[in-house]
Amino acid sequence: MSHSDERVRPRTRRLSILNLPNELLIAIFGFRKGPTGLCELSYHEPLPDVSDIKSIRLTCRRFCETSSHLLLHALPVYITRPSLARLDEVSRHPTISRGVRLIKLYLDPFYDSVIARDLQAFAYDRASSVRQAISFWRFCSQHRFHSDPPPEFFHDAIPGAIALAESLEGLARRGINTNRADHRLISKAHQLYSKLHDDQMDMTASLGRVIASAMKRMPTATWLRIKDQNVRDDKSSGWGYFLAPDDLNDDDLVIDRLIAPIDWLDTKQHKISPRPLKIIRELFLSLQQLNFPLAGLDIDTTAPVTSCLDPEHETKYGQAALSSTFKQLKSVKFFPIPFHPERLRQTKAEGIATLISFLRTMLHTQSLQKIELKFFMMFPTHFAPPSMAPPLLSYRWPNLKVLDFDGPFHFEELKAIVKHLPQEVELSWVGHLLSGSWIDVLDILRERKSRTQKVGDHHGSARGQECQEMKQEEKRFIFLGNWKHMYGQYDECKPDSLATRYIQGWIPTNPVRDWSLGQLDMSKPREGDERWIDEHLVV
């Protein structure tokens, strides 16, 4: 090539990432937005790490403009004015609002109406909390922990805590003595608590409408999770209770601790007062009125949901009003956890009927891809429960990928459900078998010829029929399996349960039938011995 040819060769311009169009930058930064799809709202899945997004936003103005919508994936909402103000601010932000996918509604803090109106009831309740803290401090004063203060730190604070508890108990029994400084401090705390309660009542009147309006302004915030409280949000003193040893040295800190909200579980345990459960109902109706359908719904609460879905209300508004809110649902999880199962003895049949009617409405949509119904905490083992499978009999879901059920059911109901269930649906099934046989349950599931289905769980907690006669070790030997435990991880040392391996076609004989014939050989290794598994594979 001549020298003149080199002079006329066009120069190649050096490119940098800033030469890319915004559409490509958004796509690149989107790889940091975390998990997507059906598992993105898994209860135990950690929230995506946004530290990279924070760094990207600080790089330059253009990076900030094209990545800010990835900064906030899930927005927690509490029944407080600061929380609602933050929700409003985020929903109106032109960039950040576009990235919010999940609203996590926590039904706390909760200020009880009974102790807000009764000083002596307030003193009694707070005395109980102080006594719990004292018991914990006594334990800490007798044991040394690596990262905690020395035992003396707790030991020296116990007399002051006892004095506070005795003041509260004395006021609870005999009423207030205004000549005593400690009683005046408790009275001041009670007045502040009453104001917080009144403020809560004012907010709950319009809370459903406020949240629904904010979600309407965030078009991607179509996933809703409702829980009692955020267990990861530690509002306590840091010592497992609302009172810390060094709080006793400051009256203002003591007051701050005394006006702490009540835990939802405590209200159920002590039967203090009704809670504002109508929030759930009003939120659904507000979403319907704004024509804002949900894509994902997770109800995971100790709250008696039937109390906020009363038949009178459903007659007034009609199930059709709620059905429009659920018409685009892709994922549903329903996990009621009553704190006192013995109350279910008093549950009226119409309460269960209302709940089943609500579930039918919620599940009546073709868009559903994932259904999780968990009722195992709803009924005690000694209680004869009603079947909770009927909602799964009322509809067929052409797009369904995952069906996870744990609750009371009849064999004929399961048979009808799996009859129309495509083989590719990932089925997980366990619960209390009310009629029929576990032998037939395993046989009917094996006929699906699916290698993704499971039966049993990580507790081996199948119940009813043959399981009533099995010894605990026999039941666990058959049904205990490699199941996702509470942190969403698998124990790789354990294979699937015998029941699961049978219905998947890996072993030739039904383990429950083997047990009924006295042929269940528990001497063979069941957990972690891959050689034993290989020997029993069905080719």
Side-chain angles (χ1 to χ4, degrees):
M1 182 180 292
S2 66
H3 183 66
S4 60
D5 290 336
E6 290 183 2
R7 285 201 306 267
V8 298
R9 177 190 294 173
R11 288 189 174 183
T12 302
R13 184 164 58 107
R14 299 185 66 181
L15 298 178
S16 72
I17 192 171
L18 291 176
N19 294 116
L20 296 176
N22 284 349
E23 291 80 5
L24 285 180
L25 289 178
I26 291 173
I28 292 170
F29 298 149
F31 283 102
R32 300 304 308 153
K33 71 180 178 181
T36 58
L38 289 178
C39 295
E40 65 180 338
L41 292 181
S42 173
Y43 171 66
H44 300 296
E45 188 165 351
L47 291 176
D49 183 8
V50 296
S51 57
D52 289 342
I53 299 299
K54 291 180 179 179
S55 300
I56 291 171
R57 294 179 73 244
L58 296 174
T59 304
C60 64
R61 179 177 297 177
R62 192 151 168 246
F63 276 24
C64 180
E65 293 172 350
T66 53
S67 67
S68 292
H69 67 287
L70 302 172
L71 188 63
L72 193 60
H73 303 265
L75 183 60
V77 177
Y78 301 90
I79 310 177
T80 64
R81 294 200 184 277
S83 180
L84 295 180
R86 181 170 183 258
L87 171 66
D88 184 73
E89 180 183 8
V90 170
S91 70
R92 297 180 188 278
H93 194 283
T95 305
I96 295 178
S97 63
R98 292 189 286 113
V100 178
R101 291 179 283 167
L102 167 65
I103 297 297
K104 298 189 292 185
L105 174 60
Y106 296 105
L107 303 176
D108 69 343
F110 175 72
Y111 296 95
D112 178 73
S113 60
V114 172
I115 65 176
R117 298 287 173 255
D118 188 332
L119 173 59
Q120 289 177 267
F122 172 81
Y124 177 81
D125 176 79
R126 302 290 109 158
S128 174
S129 298
V130 174
R131 289 293 182 186
Q132 291 179 15
I134 292 171
S135 297
F136 178 67
W137 295 358
R138 284 197 172 116
F139 174 81
C140 293
S141 69
Q142 298 168 4
H143 301 83
R144 181 178 294 274
F145 302 96
H146 294 295
S147 58
D148 288 339
E152 297 78 19
F153 174 73
F154 299 96
H155 180 270
D156 295 344
I158 290 175
I162 292 176
L164 175 60
E166 290 176 347
S167 295
L168 289 162
E169 290 162 350
L171 192 156
R173 287 193 300 267
R174 296 181 291 273
I176 186 171
N177 182 348
T178 56
N179 294 322
R180 293 181 53 171
D182 54 344
H183 280 204
R184 291 196 299 271
L185 181 143
I186 297 169
S187 177
K188 181 180 179 181
H190 180 248
Q191 292 171 14
L192 293 173
Y193 186 94
S194 298
K195 290 180 180 179
L196 290 169
H197 167 266
D198 294 342
D199 193 41
Q200 172 188 269
M201 292 298 100
D202 291 340
M203 283 185 294
T204 54
S206 60
L207 187 64
R209 185 171 65 254
V210 169
I211 296 174
S213 299
M215 293 178 70
K216 179 73 172 180
R217 292 190 292 269
M218 299 182 288
T220 59
T222 57
W223 296 70
L224 175 66
R225 177 180 297 153
I226 302 173
K227 292 182 63 65
D228 288 347
Q229 63 192 63
N230 186 358
V231 295
R232 296 175 181 172
D233 181 19
D234 186 7
K235 305 189 195 75
S236 70
S237 65
W239 301 108
Y241 297 93
F242 80 101
L243 188 67
D246 46 5
D247 291 340
L248 298 171
N249 300 323
D250 188 328
D251 285 353
D252 290 336
L253 280 177
V254 171
I255 290 176
D256 284 342
R257 301 306 184 190
L258 290 177
I259 64 175
I262 282 188
D263 188 292
W264 274 63
L265 295 180
D266 288 340
T267 66
K268 204 168 182 78
Q269 180 179 11
H270 300 300
K271 305 179 182 180
I272 299 177
S273 69
R275 290 147 294 171
L277 297 177
K278 65 179 183 179
I279 293 171
I280 301 174
R281 178 181 66 215
E282 297 301 330
L283 175 55
F284 288 154
L285 290 173
S286 296
L287 289 170
Q288 178 269 328
Q289 291 164 5
L290 293 173
N291 192 27
F292 189 80
L294 296 170
L297 178 59
D298 179 349
I299 302 178
D300 185 354
T301 172
T302 61
V305 179
T306 52
S307 300
C308 65
L309 300 168
D310 56 278
E312 223 179 90
H313 179 274
E314 297 305 326
T315 302
K316 181 179 179 182
Y317 291 97
Q319 291 284 8
L322 289 178
S323 64
S324 62
T325 304
F326 304 141
K327 65 183 178 182
Q328 294 182 20
L329 278 176
K330 294 181 180 179
S331 177
V332 165
K333 179 180 178 181
F334 188 75
F335 190 1
I337 317 174
F339 190 65
H340 278 288
E342 62 268 19
R343 290 192 182 182
L344 290 168
R345 297 176 183 275
Q346 305 169 0
T347 300
K348 296 181 180 180
E350 56 264 29
I352 295 296
T354 300
L355 175 57
I356 289 178
S357 176
F358 168 73
L359 292 174
R360 281 192 174 122
T361 301
M362 183 169 60
L363 298 176
H364 194 81
T365 171
Q366 290 190 352
S367 58
L368 270 173
Q369 300 178 34
K370 184 176 184 179
I371 299 174
E372 293 183 78
L373 301 179
K374 305 284 190 178
F375 301 105
F376 66 93
M377 293 286 288
M378 192 170 175
F379 304 103
T381 55
H382 57 276
F383 181 66
S387 173
M388 299 305 295
L392 297 175
L393 293 165
S394 58
Y395 200 72
R396 300 179 191 176
W397 302 275
N399 300 303
L400 191 64
K401 298 179 180 178
V402 177
L403 175 57
D404 190 347
F405 179 88
D406 187 343
F409 70 101
H410 296 279
F411 168 71
E412 291 299 327
E413 292 171 333
L414 173 61
K415 185 178 180 180
I417 291 168
V418 300
K419 180 180 179 181
H420 302 289
L421 200 65
Q423 185 184 38
E424 60 271 16
V425 173
E426 183 179 320
L427 176 66
S428 300
W429 197 276
V430 73
H432 190 140
L433 181 59
L434 300 172
S435 65
S437 164
W438 276 106
I439 295 175
D440 295 334
V441 167
L442 299 190
D443 284 343
I444 196 70
L445 291 177
R446 183 182 174 94
E447 291 176 9
R448 290 188 69 229
K449 299 180 180 179
S450 170
R451 293 289 171 87
T452 62
Q453 61 186 349
K454 294 177 181 289
V455 64
D457 61 13
H458 65 283
H459 295 302
S461 56
R463 299 174 294 281
Q465 304 306 310
E466 295 98 328
C467 291
Q468 300 298 107
E469 302 174 16
M470 290 182 184
K471 297 178 181 178
Q472 184 66 16
E473 57 268 24
E474 292 172 333
K475 187 171 69 171
R476 290 174 64 85
F477 187 80
I478 294 172
F479 291 101
L480 182 67
N482 180 9
W483 216 257
K484 276 192 174 182
H485 61 57
M486 64 180 299
Y487 297 107
Q489 301 170 348
Y490 284 97
D491 184 348
E492 296 184 0
C493 295
K494 297 179 182 179
D496 287 321
S497 69
L498 281 180
T500 292
R501 277 180 271 153
Y502 172 71
I503 66 173
Q504 289 183 356
W506 295 111
I507 59 176
T509 59
N510 186 322
V512 180
R513 183 177 286 110
D514 289 345
W515 170 84
S516 67
L517 298 173
Q519 297 174 359
L520 183 65
D521 187 358
M522 296 177 60
S523 64
K524 294 181 179 179
R526 199 204 70 84
E527 297 181 355
D529 192 334
E530 299 299 331
R531 291 174 302 176
W532 182 82
I533 298 174
D534 291 339
E535 290 172 2
H536 290 75
L537 289 178
V538 177
V539 181

